[in-house]
Amino acid sequence: MSTDTDDGRNDDGGTTKIDVRVPTAMVDAIDEEFARRGYTSRSEAIRDALRDWLNPSVQLSEEVLADLQESRAQREAGETISLDDALDKYDVDVDDDQA
């Protein structure tokens, strides 16, 4: 039995039912894919997609990605030192809150 009211709102205030029209092919693709991605229902998958739309993940620029790749290469080549080693090398005292 549905707990949705006539206006689409759930009686507990936690969710609201909405009607959305999407192409049949898209619904078919969602139905084929949601379980493979670990979702228990089509609704769960769509809610997750809407969360991503509302709070998109950070997109790194090509420049930042290149810097990260260079940094990784420097680390792997042994061209970097740890923060603790740098602090010791330059005789810097840091409060525990700052380290």
Side-chain angles (χ1 to χ4, degrees):
M1 181 170 131
S2 174
T3 59
D4 294 333
T5 60
D6 289 341
D7 67 356
R9 294 191 182 275
N10 186 293
D11 289 339
D12 68 7
T15 61
T16 300
K17 181 180 177 182
I18 61 171
D19 293 320
V20 178
R21 294 191 182 277
V22 296
T24 302
M26 184 181 292
V27 174
D28 292 343
I30 292 168
D31 287 345
E32 291 175 10
E33 189 68 19
F34 76 82
R36 189 184 73 75
R37 294 191 184 199
Y39 296 103
T40 58
S41 68
R42 178 195 302 164
S43 291
E44 182 184 6
I46 293 170
R47 278 192 300 272
D48 197 37
L50 289 171
R51 278 187 215 99
D52 285 346
W53 180 70
L54 290 170
N55 300 301
S57 59
V58 175
Q59 298 293 320
L60 300 177
S61 69
E62 291 299 320
E63 181 181 2
V64 169
L65 291 172
D67 288 345
L68 289 170
Q69 186 175 6
E70 181 180 352
S71 177
R72 178 176 294 126
Q74 289 171 340
R75 187 188 73 230
E76 290 171 355
E79 298 172 357
T80 62
I81 62 173
S82 71
L83 174 60
D84 289 335
D85 290 345
L87 293 173
D88 288 341
K89 179 178 180 177
Y90 295 103
D91 196 30
V92 175
D93 290 324
V94 179
D95 294 336
D96 288 337
D97 293 339
Q98 294 175 337

